[in-house]
Amino acid sequence: MLTVAAVLVGLMAGLFFAFDVSVMPGLAAGDEQTYVTAMRAFNKAIDGNPLFGTVFVLALVAAVLSAVLEFRGGRRAVALWVGAAAVAYLVVLLITFTVNIPLNNELADAGEVARMKDFEIVERFRTTWVTTNIIRTLLCTTALAALARALLLHGRATR
């Protein structure tokens, strides 16, 4: 279960990182209409993808379950590292549900792109969404590092 948690959190860290280093800078180089159209398409693809939803939620479930199993197995140091990872990932979920998803919805509801005259929403979206995505990347990477440490300690404890 610990390995599953590490893989799932790693996938999420990679997704957020890819947006940080390629998707968002690439979109920022274009015009506002392209930005809105592309972000809407990305969000629609992610929202409608059951594999994404499964990985997104199961990363936390696997981490919490791993922490419980490690604690019950008497490996308290491992459980602490996994618990720290679970908390970091929980913060990622909270940021996503309280900041990023509402921004995605606001952008989706802004009307037809061809008729948009006021692109102030794009600037608000760009600054807040990008910043919180960087935070999500850092938190997921922290969670992944904690899970890597837990895997190492688990291996030592079970030899």
Side-chain angles (χ1 to χ4, degrees), residues 2-158:
L2 184 52
T3 301
V4 169
V7 169
L8 295 175
V9 169
L11 287 169
M12 292 309 304
L15 175 70
F16 294 136
F17 180 71
F19 268 82
D20 291 339
V21 300
S22 62
V23 174
M24 301 314 283
L27 287 177
D31 62 59
E32 284 84 0
Q33 289 180 326
T34 302
Y35 190 96
V36 171
T37 301
M39 282 307 299
R40 285 176 175 176
F42 295 145
N43 292 329
K44 185 177 179 183
I46 286 175
D47 291 347
N49 188 320
L51 182 57
F52 169 80
T54 301
V55 171
F56 186 63
V57 173
L58 283 185
L60 179 62
V61 172
V64 169
L65 184 55
S66 294
V68 170
L69 292 172
E70 294 296 335
F71 185 80
R72 285 187 178 167
R75 294 176 293 277
R76 292 187 182 356
V78 178
L80 285 173
W81 282 101
V82 180
V87 168
Y89 191 76
L90 177 61
V91 174
V92 168
L93 293 179
L94 292 173
I95 290 169
T96 300
F97 285 112
T98 61
V99 180
N100 295 85
I101 290 175
L103 284 170
N104 292 346
N105 293 339
E106 185 179 347
L107 193 64
D109 296 338
E112 217 177 294
V113 176
R115 294 184 183 186
M116 289 178 76
K117 303 246 187 281
D118 179 13
F119 286 96
E120 180 186 318
I121 187 173
V122 174
E123 192 54 39
R124 278 196 332 270
F125 184 94
R126 212 183 309 227
T127 55
T128 304
W129 198 98
V130 169
T131 301
T132 57
N133 196 69
I134 291 168
I135 294 167
R136 293 189 301 176
T137 302
L138 293 172
L139 286 165
C140 272
T141 304
T142 299
L144 183 58
L147 290 167
R149 178 69 177 156
L151 282 164
L152 178 68
L153 293 175
H154 176 88
R156 289 179 182 167
T158 56

